[in-house]
Amino acid sequence: MIPDWSSERRRMVDRQLRKRGIHDPRVLDAMLRIPREEFVPPDSRICSYQDEPLHIGYGQTISQPYMIALMAELLELTGTETVLEVGAGCGYHAAVLAMLAARVITIELIPALARQAEQNLQRVLPGINVTVISGDGSQGWPEAAPYGGISVAAAAPDVPEPLLAQLADGGRLVIPVGARFDQELRVIRKTGSATEDRVATFCRFVPLRGSEGWH
Ligand code: SAH
């Protein structure tokens, strides 16, 4: 039997997001609109709306829906921003961000995943305002900077300086930082030359690689 995906999606939004304190209506709406089942690999499809991360191949995972909604909410986007995502994976998180911003650039280190993200986004949401770049996003993507928001989907040993440098005035960087297997999800807001840094929660992400990541 084919699941009723839209009721699964509604249930996920109610039970996993609203009940746990996600309340930005734009984020909840984006989570209701993007079909997660179209992005995850076919053998994980049945688990699309479970409250857990899923394997997307190449040793990588897509976060649980709650973490994606929380990260999106923490960016406090208004719809006018250019947003950079580091770690496109299967493209789902970028699709959610695209509902909340003017433009999304997502950069992925593993070329096969970059192709997968691009294909998924064009198949599911043709013409969506997302550009997929294949490369090392730990350095950011200066070509489209400054960014009103930067969302990093892999855990860094430290906050990469190039990402801070590419934030717009008033922009926010949401990034897991810490040890290999447990990290803090940090929210860094830039105002002029000052930054304000806080910890939103504890988390566990796959490692950020590349020049500013784990070697
Ligand atoms: N946001 C994704 C899941 C990301 S998993 C989704 O919605 O599916 C983290 C991703 O970060 C992995 O695909 C991994 O290959 C990628 N990654 C790790 N280091 C990176 C780097 N330096 N630059 C770009 N991508 C990186």
Side-chain angles (χ1 to χ4, degrees), residues 60-61 85 87-88 90 93 107-110 113 136-137 153 206 209:
Q60 306 304 315
T61 54
E85 183 195 31
C90 68
H93 197 154
I107 179 160
E108 171 55 51
L109 189 66
I110 299 175
L113 280 175
D136 176 11
V206 293
R209 310 268 180 202

Side-chain angles (χ1 to χ4, degrees), residues 21-38:
I22 303 291
H23 44 243
D24 181 337
R26 297 179 70 240
V27 171
L28 294 169
D29 182 59
M31 296 296 290
L32 275 176
R33 282 164 68 188
I34 304 299
R36 185 167 158 104
E37 73 279 7
E38 295 289 344

Side-chain angles (χ1 to χ4, degrees), residues 121-193:
L121 287 160
Q122 290 312 324
R123 187 188 77 253
V124 183
L125 300 149
I128 191 171
N129 50 339
V130 178
T131 306
V132 181
I133 310 279
S134 186
D136 176 11
S138 73
Q139 294 277 3
W141 183 251
E143 284 84 340
Y147 299 101
I150 302 181
S151 181
V152 183
D158 290 297
V159 178
E161 273 303 321
L163 297 185
L164 281 179
Q166 289 168 40
L167 266 189
D169 195 10
R172 286 181 170 78
L173 165 63
V174 175
I175 182 169
V177 181
R180 259 317 250 279
F181 296 106
D182 65 290
Q183 306 103 26
E184 299 173 339
L185 185 67
R186 284 165 62 179
V187 186
I188 299 161
R189 176 154 193 259
K190 184 170 173 180
T191 317
S193 56

Side-chain angles (χ1 to χ4, degrees), residues 41-105:
D43 55 352
S44 297
R45 225 173 168 212
I46 197 75
C47 304
S48 296
Y49 294 99
Q50 288 186 11
D51 191 12
E52 61 189 22
L54 298 173
H55 293 286
I56 55 171
Y58 308 92
Q60 306 304 315
T61 54
I62 175 176
S63 301
Q64 63 180 143
Y66 172 74
M67 185 54 72
I68 289 172
L70 176 65
M71 291 175 79
E73 186 169 72
L74 291 169
L75 287 175
E76 296 185 37
L77 299 170
T78 63
T80 58
E81 300 84 356
T82 299
V83 169
L84 177 69
E85 183 195 31
V86 179
C90 68
Y92 171 77
H93 197 154
V96 171
L97 292 172
M99 301 291 114
L100 303 168
R103 182 179 179 209
V104 175
I105 315 283

